[in-house]
């Protein structure tokens, strides 16, 4: 796993690499690495940067081929709802309120390391399928490009069809700090998932249950 950070605290980089031999922490400055990045890729972008805004950095990460599919977390200076919405619109997957310290970062990474292809090799729902080992969703065999959060959401729903999940439950499943993420962020994730599937001709797999959350209704074939 590669971790890209705009943070400038040397202790943070050392703490990350001590978590696991396979972790590599790299500074994210003016130039975005174009190659040599191992997957999965995580990017932690500060709201304010010395030479530009964090929002601009997020947009550049999404436009760069080597980083566009990575998981991007915006590190906010305070719990500002408007700033959070702007971060998500710019392309961030989620956000947290800084400062980013080794303990919080370690907890976030460990939670997401638990999501691996340990429950089976393949999930299928009608023409929609997920190859868990390859971390790839497909619609009738055609690859569907999904960001990490959306892929994990879809995987969770396909593993638990006909169950309604609240927004809070989905945040917890994705290993997020519920005190730092508004539940409406889940609506952004679901919206992105729906648009990505629709772009490939796939029907919306999720049903919104008013005041409760979302459910994936099982289908035959």
């Amino acid at each position: 796993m590669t971790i890209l950070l705009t943070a400038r605290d040397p202790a943070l980089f050392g703490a990350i690499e001590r978590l696991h031999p396979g972790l590599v922490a790299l500074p994210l400055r003016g130039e975005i690495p174009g190659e040599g990045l191992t997957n999965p890729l995580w990017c932690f972008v500060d709201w304010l940067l010395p030479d530009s805004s964090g929002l601009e950095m997020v947009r550049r990460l999404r436009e760069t081929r080597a980083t566009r599919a990575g998981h991007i977390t915006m590190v906010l200076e305070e719990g500002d709802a408007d700033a959070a919405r702007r971060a998500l619109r710019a392309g961030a997957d989620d956000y947290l309120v800084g400062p980013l310290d080794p303990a919080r970062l370690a907890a976030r990474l460990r939670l997401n390391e638990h999501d691996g292809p340990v429950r089976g090799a393949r999930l299928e729902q009608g023409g929609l399928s997920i190859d868990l080992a390859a971390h790839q969703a497909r619609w009738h065999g055609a690859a569907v490009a999904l960001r990490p959060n959306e892929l994990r959401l879809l995987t969770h729903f396909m593993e638990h069809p006909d169950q309604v999940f609240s927004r809070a439950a989905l945040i917890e499943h994705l290993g997020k700090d519920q005190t730092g993420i508004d539940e409406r962020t889940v609506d952004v994730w679901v919206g992105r998932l729906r648009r990505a599937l629709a772009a490939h001709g796939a029907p919306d797999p999720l049903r919104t249950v008013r005041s409760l959350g979302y459910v994936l209704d099982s289908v035959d074939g």
Side-chain angles (χ1 to χ4, degrees), residues 13-220:
F13 288 83
I16 294 172
E17 295 191 338
R18 285 193 296 271
L19 292 175
H20 191 278
L23 289 181
V24 177
L26 300 174
L28 185 57
R29 303 290 187 254
E31 294 297 324
I32 297 175
E35 56 185 21
L37 302 177
T38 57
N39 290 318
L41 172 66
W42 276 68
C43 308
F44 290 86
V45 180
D46 290 307
W47 177 255
L48 292 178
L49 301 176
D51 302 320
S52 63
S53 72
L55 294 175
E56 179 59 28
M57 177 62 77
V58 169
R59 296 188 187 100
R60 290 174 58 201
L61 288 167
R62 286 298 178 213
E63 292 170 355
T64 302
R65 182 174 183 178
T67 57
R68 66 179 51 158
H71 186 113
I72 302 176
T73 295
M74 176 70 81
V75 183
L76 302 176
E77 293 192 319
E78 56 186 24
D80 186 313
D82 180 64
R85 285 191 291 269
R86 292 173 65 190
L88 294 171
R89 287 197 296 267
D93 292 290
D94 54 23
Y95 56 89
L96 57 82
V97 178
L100 189 63
D101 58 68
R104 295 183 67 196
L105 183 54
R108 177 65 63 93
L109 295 175
R110 281 199 299 268
L111 284 166
N112 282 276
E113 286 174 354
H114 293 165
D115 296 308
V118 297
R119 295 170 290 263
R122 188 179 181 89
L123 298 171
E124 295 188 0
Q125 167 92 346
L128 190 62
S129 64
I130 297 178
D131 184 331
L132 293 173
H135 298 279
Q136 178 67 67
R138 295 183 179 276
W139 171 247
H140 288 302
V144 178
L146 295 176
R147 296 181 185 177
N149 269 1
E150 285 75 73
L151 179 61
R152 294 172 61 219
L153 268 181
L154 181 59
T155 299
H156 181 67
F157 278 112
M158 290 180 67
E159 289 178 328
H160 304 90
D162 304 314
Q163 296 184 43
V164 178
F165 290 96
S166 67
R167 293 172 176 84
L170 292 171
I171 291 173
E172 181 178 1
H173 167 70
L174 264 67
K176 309 302 179 184
D177 179 2
Q178 296 186 61
T179 62
I181 293 189
D182 189 293
E183 290 188 1
R184 292 298 173 181
T185 302
V186 175
D187 299 333
V188 175
W189 296 333
V190 170
R192 288 175 177 169
L193 172 61
R194 285 169 164 166
R195 288 192 294 274
L197 292 173
H200 288 77
D204 183 359
L206 303 182
R207 175 167 55 88
T208 303
V209 182
R210 187 173 181 179
S211 301
L212 293 179
Y214 298 96
V215 60
L216 184 145
D217 297 316
S218 60
V219 298
D220 297 325

